Amino acid sequence: MTEANSSRLFEGADWDFATLQRIHDACEDVALIELGLDVYPNQIEVITAEQMLDAYSSIGMPLFYKHWSFGKHFAHQESFYRKGLMGLAYEIVINSSPCISYLMEENTATMQTLVIAHAAFGHNHFFKNNYLFKQWTDAAGILDYLTFSKNYIARCEERYGQAAVERTLDAAHALMSHGVNRYPGKRRPDLREEEQRERERRAYEEQAFNDLWRTVPTGPGKTIKELSIDRRRELLGLPQENILYFLEKSAPRLQSWQRELLRIVRHVAQYFYPQGQTKVMNEGTATYVHYKIMNRLHDQGGIGDGDFLEFIKAHTNVVFQPQFDDPRYSGFNPYALGFEMMQDVERIVVSPTAEDREWFPDIAGVGDPMSVLRDIWANYRDESFVSQFLSPHLMRRMSMFHLSDDPDETRGLVVQAIHDERGYRRIRRQLARQYDIGWIDPNIEIIDVDLAGDRRLLLRHSVVHGSLLDEANAKQVLQHLADLWTYDVLLQEVDAQDTVIKEHLATPRAVAMAA
Amino acid sequence: MYVIDRRLNPRGKSLENRQRFLRRAKALVQGAVRRSSESRDIKDILEGGEVVLPIGGMNEPRLQRGNSGVRDQILPGNKTYVEGDVIPRPEGGGGGAGREGGDGEGEDAFRFVLTREEFLDLFLDDLELPDLAKRRLTHMEHDSPTRAGYSVSGSPANLAISRTVRLAMMRRTALSRPTAREIELLEEEIAETVDEESKSALQAEIEALKSKAKRIPYIDPIDIRYRRFETKPKPVAQAVMFCLMDVSGSMTEHMKDLAKRFFMLLYIFLTRRYRHVDIVFIRHTDRAEEVDEKTFFYSQATGGTQVSSALETMRQVIIDRYDPSDWNIYAAQASDGDNAYSDLERTEQLLHQVLPLTQYFAYLEVSEPDSSFSSHSSLWQLYERVDSQDAPFSMRKVANRSEIFPVFRDLFERKEERQGAAQ
């Protein structure tokens, strides 16, 4: 492969499959030997713009089950794309083994090199090594599991009708954000086994089916009043923050296929859970890696000056961070913040200032940036990464300040802290909190079921900072929840002093979800 | 590493999801069409294109925090603020303080592009010609073959000779096949020359031409074309729609425009919804004539007004061509309500003759914009009498372009049970 490094990988915009192979091999040399990355085997797929939109609208997965919401996203994206408001995403990459990266056919050879470096090495390394992904996702099994779930849902539609399946999926999607376990279990997820178990469950049901039980007259059940509250909660596994899991196990009137659907949605939610917590790190890593690789290839002469300029332009667009008063501003650009922080860590490791030595005694001046970064990529998520590695230097560079919007403050918005000695730590703490998923998602738990009475499900939202749920949304979600539960659902929003601020009640609709 | 080329995979993978979405959004899309119809030209509407849907109806709800409580933000790009500064709240919510997360899809409406087909299907879906009751179920055995261009294969009986010969000629010209005339001329030349050398040269030339003519056939199998036929099913239910319009002097441009729009819409609706619908256009002043569509909509005429003439013509056409036992007959009339006083009686008589033949008769009275309809026109009063007699009849008044759509819907909305027009 050394000849490839000493000569041009490509000239101009055109590429063919041999070019892609050369590009990949050259990137691989840099990534594995010079950067010491550790990646899943790569699978690169060349697709059209339409297919890219498609993948884009089914949350980036190539073989999702059919659901109207994906059609909605597709139509939405397409209208943007047609108007030219949006270039397509650079890259879609799938956390699976082999790691699948998509290349769009319209891209120039330079862009293909960029995407291969970014996705096939940057993201790929992150997926394989970051602790959250190791804990929560099963890269080897995900593609098979998705195929299974797609087919399973298609079979359900044939058997029970599209409408019923759609209703169940709608309800499950609405609860998706509260269908994950936030604390790792005892075992790593194993989706292959999961699929196997589904078959076994069904086989068992078929064997054990006995019409006798269906026809047993159901009188009033055993009275549960004598059970103490604690005992009752224990039996139901309460309190439970994973609403989908609770419904799958305890909703009284769901069919077994509906439980399976909830389970599928839950697994998908769980699979995407780490990605929500590592946006900045994931994109930061991939951008840092592509920047390193592209520069190295340019130095080696693999990429000509003109093509390299094209890369620089694309890269600059990716890491552009509009300022807060820019109409284009919509929060921090994860690519920009991530890349800046990775670069900053490199700077601290290689040529620290006195300030850096004071703030980061562990890494300042140790001299090997890649090993420090590899360690960071493996062991942090956005929230902990920001809270440990956001440096005063970078806060000054980006002129960060803390703005607080308190409805009781009639004068307006208050600047709580700026990038100065007094403000560094406060800004860092606050920004880390912005990436803390425990902080972003409202904390909602199922706390009780009134089994003796009307079987009402009771949920509690622990309110922080007086920030209540968005009412319209909450109402719809609770309606879905009530439809699945088939009895009333009550959600109480409770502040730190245990006083109920607000209640939402939902009653199941006449169209019974369950038979 | 291996590369896979997915470009050859079947296209339109998202089509099914899209269709599912449209099914979900049907009510919304129809609402959107109705709303936008008031501000857009009908022609534009029928282009299909973009609709704007309120996001609320297609919302995928999530449990998320609202905008209450204290919101803290770290923002980039501080220029002059120092700690403790107070910034007045920007109008319209947190302008400076963008939404948390920074990647939400926070728009209240979202727009997407429908194909013309999808659009019209959705729009026309809940409209139907009322009570298409007299179905004559003709058996599909009577498929009739209709001409449909040419094909390169077929039976000798269907050989399209002129087309074949034409193609052969094109090919011969393109390949410059020597004609018989050229060879004849050369042979004459040989006869006239005495010089041996030029004779043999000419002879060689003739040989070359002849062999070229041999190599390029006069008619080649690739020239042959056959007439192609496709079988078209016979109509299952056939309907005829009569469009009557007053084009006399009392009709202003604006009124004609209204009427035209009404009929256009009607026309599109019919041609979309029923494949076997005949349409008869009758325009009248003090005389009526049956015209083609183009004339009906786009050519000028002047004169007085005699509605009876149009009804008479309609009756005549029905007698000549559309036997009510074979056809479902519908009629729509647009007029400003003016009618010669002497003509009223005759009109009423004719109307009573025509109405029993029709499934439905819609009358649209057009007027100047923003007029208040304080007084009723003579024709309106006459028709009101008819209307009260429980005939398949309805009437509406329209003054502004934006009212056309609602009226149109009103007239042709599926009716659960047949009823006279509810005012």
Side-chain angles (χ1 to χ4, degrees):
Chain A
M1 269 339 299
T2 43
E3 309 101 71
N5 292 345
S6 59
S7 63
R8 285 272 187 278
L9 295 165
F10 53 87
E11 282 292 354
D14 294 343
W15 52 269
D16 56 20
F17 284 56
T19 320
L20 292 186
Q21 185 69 50
R22 273 202 309 279
I23 291 172
H24 172 272
D25 293 342
C27 290
E28 189 171 49
D29 282 353
V30 178
L32 303 191
I33 297 163
E34 299 184 26
L35 306 181
L37 301 187
D38 161 34
V39 293
Y40 291 123
N42 268 314
Q43 176 170 321
I44 287 173
E45 305 200 351
V46 180
I47 59 174
T48 60
E50 187 203 10
Q51 288 167 319
M52 183 61 110
L53 276 167
D54 214 3
Y56 208 65
S57 51
S58 345
I59 342 181
M61 296 307 265
L63 20 85
F64 246 105
Y65 48 83
K66 302 273 178 226
H67 189 259
W68 63 265
S69 62
F70 304 143
K72 166 184 154 181
H73 293 295
F74 183 86
H76 202 159
Q77 305 284 5
E78 189 185 34
S79 72
F80 278 141
Y81 182 59
R82 276 195 190 170
K83 282 193 200 135
L85 287 178
M86 177 184 85
L88 279 177
Y90 268 138
E91 26 86 35
I92 288 184
V93 53
I94 292 175
N95 167 24
S96 63
S97 177
C99 176
I100 300 175
S101 323
Y102 291 116
L103 299 185
M104 246 196 339
E105 64 174 351
E106 289 89 342
N107 284 347
T108 61
T110 312
M111 290 305 291
Q112 305 297 29
T113 315
L114 167 59
V115 175
I116 288 174
H118 182 100
F121 293 98
H123 282 303
N124 188 343
H125 170 86
F126 195 82
F127 288 147
K128 190 174 174 186
N129 293 281
N130 184 266
Y131 81 106
L132 276 176
F133 288 86
K134 282 183 171 177
Q135 235 166 40
W136 286 121
T137 66
D138 172 15
I142 184 69
L143 293 177
D144 288 343
Y145 185 72
L146 285 176
T147 310
F148 150 77
S149 66
K150 184 177 174 172
N151 295 337
Y152 183 84
I153 288 174
R155 280 204 308 277
C156 282
E157 286 186 340
E158 282 166 25
R159 202 181 281 192
Y160 308 104
Q162 236 184 56
V165 171
E166 195 169 85
R167 269 202 305 273
T168 310
L169 280 179
D170 284 354
H173 284 186
L175 294 161
M176 214 164 170
S177 57
H178 289 76
V180 289
N181 298 321
R182 301 188 193 195
Y183 307 103
K186 293 174 283 295
R187 298 179 311 117
R188 285 202 52 175
D190 182 346
L191 292 172
R192 289 211 172 108
E193 194 184 312
E194 184 57 42
E195 188 184 336
Q196 188 55 39
R197 293 215 321 250
E198 187 277 332
R199 286 206 203 96
E200 284 166 12
R201 275 199 297 276
R202 209 138 41 100
Y204 173 76
E205 268 170 22
E206 280 165 15
Q207 282 168 10
F209 177 74
N210 185 335
D211 212 34
L212 185 63
W213 299 118
R214 201 175 54 76
T215 52
V216 164
T218 50
K222 220 174 56 187
T223 159
I224 315 182
K225 276 180 188 156
E226 52 265 31
L227 288 180
S228 70
I229 290 178
D230 294 345
R231 176 86 185 106
R232 179 172 81 207
R233 288 190 182 177
E234 195 184 329
L235 279 176
L236 288 166
L238 296 175
Q240 171 63 268
E241 61 173 8
N242 188 333
I243 299 175
L244 284 178
Y245 177 81
F246 177 83
L247 288 171
E248 181 198 327
K249 296 298 179 215
S250 317
R253 290 155 74 185
L254 288 181
Q255 302 278 4
S256 62
W257 63 268
Q258 291 176 299
R259 292 180 205 277
E260 199 61 47
L261 255 49
L262 298 189
R263 202 178 173 82
I264 286 171
V265 173
R266 195 162 61 80
H267 281 305
V268 170
Q270 197 72 63
Y271 170 82
F272 285 114
Y273 187 56
Q275 306 206 359
Q277 297 178 67
T278 53
K279 258 190 189 144
V280 171
M281 284 199 76
N282 213 330
E283 295 305 352
T285 306
T287 310
Y288 180 85
V289 167
H290 83 221
Y291 192 72
K292 277 269 183 235
I293 291 178
M294 294 297 281
N295 273 295
R296 195 74 194 90
L297 293 180
H298 180 223
D299 295 346
Q300 291 166 348
I303 298 178
D305 289 353
D307 293 330
F308 191 68
L309 269 179
E310 184 194 349
F311 155 71
I312 290 292
K313 183 169 176 294
H315 174 80
T316 312
N317 285 338
V318 170
V319 297
F320 173 65
Q321 173 65 62
Q323 306 212 316
F324 79 100
D325 45 5
D326 187 317
R328 289 167 293 180
Y329 178 78
S330 64
F332 274 99
N333 171 2
Y335 291 81
L337 183 63
F339 181 67
E340 288 280 3
M341 284 187 65
M342 303 294 170
Q343 293 271 64
D344 200 47
V345 168
E346 183 183 358
R347 184 190 59 80
I348 292 166
V349 171
V350 177
S351 54
T353 60
E355 180 188 51
D356 294 324
R357 287 186 192 279
E358 182 191 335
W359 277 70
F360 306 103
D362 295 348
I363 61 166
V366 293
D368 179 6
M370 277 321 296
S371 75
V372 172
L373 281 170
R374 281 199 304 269
D375 177 63
I376 288 175
W377 294 340
N379 298 312
Y380 290 83
R381 55 182 187 151
D382 288 351
E383 176 256 341
S384 52
F385 177 55
V386 169
S387 75
Q388 300 227 16
F389 294 101
L390 183 65
S391 70
H393 174 86
L394 186 60
M395 287 183 236
R396 284 194 300 270
R397 232 180 86 100
M398 296 183 86
S399 308
M400 293 183 185
F401 67 109
H402 176 184
L403 201 58
S404 166
D405 181 356
D406 187 342
D408 300 335
E409 176 60 74
T410 48
R411 291 177 304 157
L413 313 173
V414 179
V415 179
Q416 297 283 8
I418 61 165
H419 46 86
D420 59 12
E421 286 301 332
R422 286 162 48 87
Y424 292 142
R425 288 188 194 276
R426 277 185 281 166
I427 286 181
R428 188 158 79 161
R429 196 168 46 236
Q430 183 56 42
L431 188 63
R433 181 176 276 185
Q434 256 169 250
Y435 289 106
D436 182 357
I437 199 142
W439 188 258
I440 297 166
D441 279 345
N443 179 7
I444 295 172
E445 288 179 321
I446 297 178
I447 50 173
D448 198 10
V449 182
D450 185 1
L451 282 178
D454 53 9
R455 299 198 179 170
R456 188 165 67 182
L457 195 63
L458 184 63
L459 290 89
R460 166 210 288 257
H461 169 216
S462 312
V463 178
V464 280
H465 271 295
S467 174
L468 298 173
L469 292 178
D470 174 66
E471 185 150 14
N473 263 310
K475 205 174 149 182
Q476 286 176 302
V477 175
L478 285 184
Q479 185 61 64
H480 280 304
L481 178 54
D483 289 343
L484 286 174
W485 178 245
T486 64
Y487 297 99
D488 285 4
V489 172
L490 177 71
L491 171 67
Q492 293 180 325
E493 306 209 49
V494 178
D495 68 6
Q497 285 76 44
D498 260 1
T499 43
V500 177
I501 307 170
K502 196 168 178 182
E503 289 198 337
H504 311 260
L505 180 71
T507 314
R509 277 181 286 220
V511 185
M513 297 279 307
Chain B
M1 186 291 274
Y2 43 101
V3 178
I4 298 179
D5 191 351
R6 293 269 182 215
R7 288 171 295 179
L8 306 174
N9 282 14
R11 294 169 55 82
K13 215 184 88 175
S14 63
L15 191 65
E16 189 175 342
N17 283 331
R18 182 186 171 91
Q19 286 164 345
R20 283 171 186 236
F21 167 64
L22 280 177
R23 209 181 46 240
R24 266 295 272 247
K26 198 161 168 175
L28 282 170
V29 173
Q30 282 172 347
V33 169
R34 262 169 255 168
R35 264 195 312 282
S36 62
S37 69
E38 310 210 339
S39 57
R40 274 206 277 186
D41 281 357
I42 285 172
K43 274 184 183 164
D44 296 348
I45 280 189
L46 295 168
E47 288 301 285
E50 204 175 65
V51 279
V52 181
L53 297 185
I55 200 90
M58 294 308 289
N59 187 15
E60 297 164 77
R62 294 272 186 279
L63 287 170
Q64 56 196 32
R65 293 207 184 92
N67 290 340
S68 54
V70 181
R71 287 192 299 161
D72 287 302
Q73 293 268 326
I74 299 293
L75 302 165
N78 180 13
K79 296 174 190 59
T80 54
Y81 301 137
V82 294
E83 193 177 324
D85 276 1
V86 175
I87 308 161
R89 279 194 180 79
E91 289 302 309
R99 303 162 22 127
E100 281 204 23
D103 63 336
E105 298 177 4
E107 59 244 297
D108 5 316
F110 95 87
R111 41 191 66 225
F112 73 97
V113 180
L114 286 169
T115 65
R116 190 168 176 275
E117 298 297 304
E118 282 172 340
F119 192 96
L120 283 175
D121 264 339
L122 279 159
F123 167 61
L124 296 173
D125 195 72
D126 58 347
L127 298 177
E128 206 178 65
L129 283 183
D131 199 8
L132 198 56
K134 283 200 244 167
R135 278 171 194 273
R136 291 180 58 86
L137 292 169
T138 50
H139 290 293
M140 283 302 196
E141 294 154 21
H142 302 303
D143 283 358
S144 58
T146 50
R147 283 292 303 274
Y150 297 93
S151 72
V152 292
S153 60
S155 72
N158 289 335
L159 189 63
I161 294 167
S162 58
R163 173 63 60 123
T164 303
V165 170
R166 187 197 311 175
L167 286 169
M169 194 189 279
M170 281 158 60
R171 185 181 48 80
R172 289 199 306 270
T173 312
L175 298 176
S176 57
R177 183 183 195 265
T179 58
R181 179 89 189 109
E182 286 172 43
I183 296 173
E184 257 173 50
L185 282 173
L186 285 172
E187 277 171 348
E188 282 168 23
E189 224 173 306
I190 288 181
E192 286 164 19
T193 47
V194 282
D195 174 21
E196 277 304 315
E197 206 163 297
S198 53
K199 233 184 197 173
S200 64
L202 283 170
Q203 196 60 43
E205 202 176 332
I206 289 176
E207 288 308 313
L209 287 180
K210 278 187 173 166
S211 76
K212 188 169 182 185
K214 265 210 191 78
R215 281 200 312 276
I216 301 173
Y218 193 80
I219 288 198
D220 192 84
I222 62 168
D223 304 328
I224 294 179
R225 292 291 179 277
Y226 299 91
R227 291 188 297 270
R228 205 165 75 84
F229 293 93
E230 273 182 347
T231 50
K232 279 230 172 98
K234 275 268 177 65
V236 175
Q238 38 188 14
V240 59
M241 179 95 215
F242 284 88
C243 297
L244 315 179
M245 183 163 70
D246 179 357
V247 290
S248 65
S250 57
M251 289 277 280
T252 62
E253 277 309 309
H254 171 74
M255 294 177 187
K256 277 189 196 171
D257 181 59
L258 286 180
K260 276 177 192 170
R261 283 170 189 280
F262 179 72
F263 287 127
M264 270 178 193
L265 201 54
L266 194 58
Y267 175 71
I268 284 162
F269 163 61
L270 290 167
T271 47
R272 286 260 330 159
R273 185 147 203 115
Y274 299 100
R275 271 174 53 201
H276 310 291
V277 170
D278 278 10
I279 301 192
V280 177
F281 297 100
I282 296 172
R283 61 176 203 171
H284 72 89
T285 52
D286 48 354
R287 298 177 297 105
E289 50 186 339
E290 186 187 345
V291 294
D292 64 2
E293 187 192 342
K294 205 165 160 51
T295 317
F296 185 78
F297 282 133
Y298 300 109
S299 77
Q300 295 295 325
T302 51
T305 313
Q306 287 202 355
V307 174
S308 60
S309 61
L311 293 172
E312 175 58 42
T313 310
M314 175 176 162
R315 198 176 62 97
Q316 204 50 51
V317 171
I318 291 176
I319 290 165
D320 292 346
R321 307 211 303 264
Y322 299 106
D323 179 350
S325 61
D326 283 344
W327 292 86
N328 295 292
I329 296 166
Y330 298 87
Q333 182 186 2
S335 159
D336 59 355
D338 275 355
N339 200 10
Y341 200 72
S342 55
D343 188 50
L344 282 174
E345 203 177 330
R346 173 105 184 92
T347 304
E348 189 168 3
Q349 279 175 7
L350 272 166
L351 197 59
H352 281 303
Q353 286 178 38
V354 169
L355 270 182
L357 304 177
T358 60
Q359 299 285 314
Y360 200 69
F361 193 109
Y363 171 61
L364 189 76
E365 184 153 306
V366 290
S367 65
E368 281 301 303
D370 308 319
S371 58
S372 55
F373 293 117
S374 52
S375 63
H376 288 316
S377 68
S378 51
L379 200 55
W380 182 265
Q381 285 170 355
L382 166 68
Y383 278 9
E384 259 184 334
R385 278 207 303 279
V386 177
D387 189 19
S388 56
Q389 291 164 5
D390 192 35
F393 186 85
S394 76
M395 46 205 291
R396 286 285 181 285
K397 294 187 174 184
V398 174
N400 296 312
R401 218 178 57 202
S402 61
E403 292 165 350
I404 291 223
F405 253 74
V407 167
F408 180 76
R409 292 182 49 81
D410 234 20
L411 290 178
F412 288 97
E413 222 162 6
R414 271 178 208 173
K415 294 208 165 58
E416 289 307 312
E417 69 258 14
R418 177 69 73 74
Q419 54 188 40
Q423 286 300 297

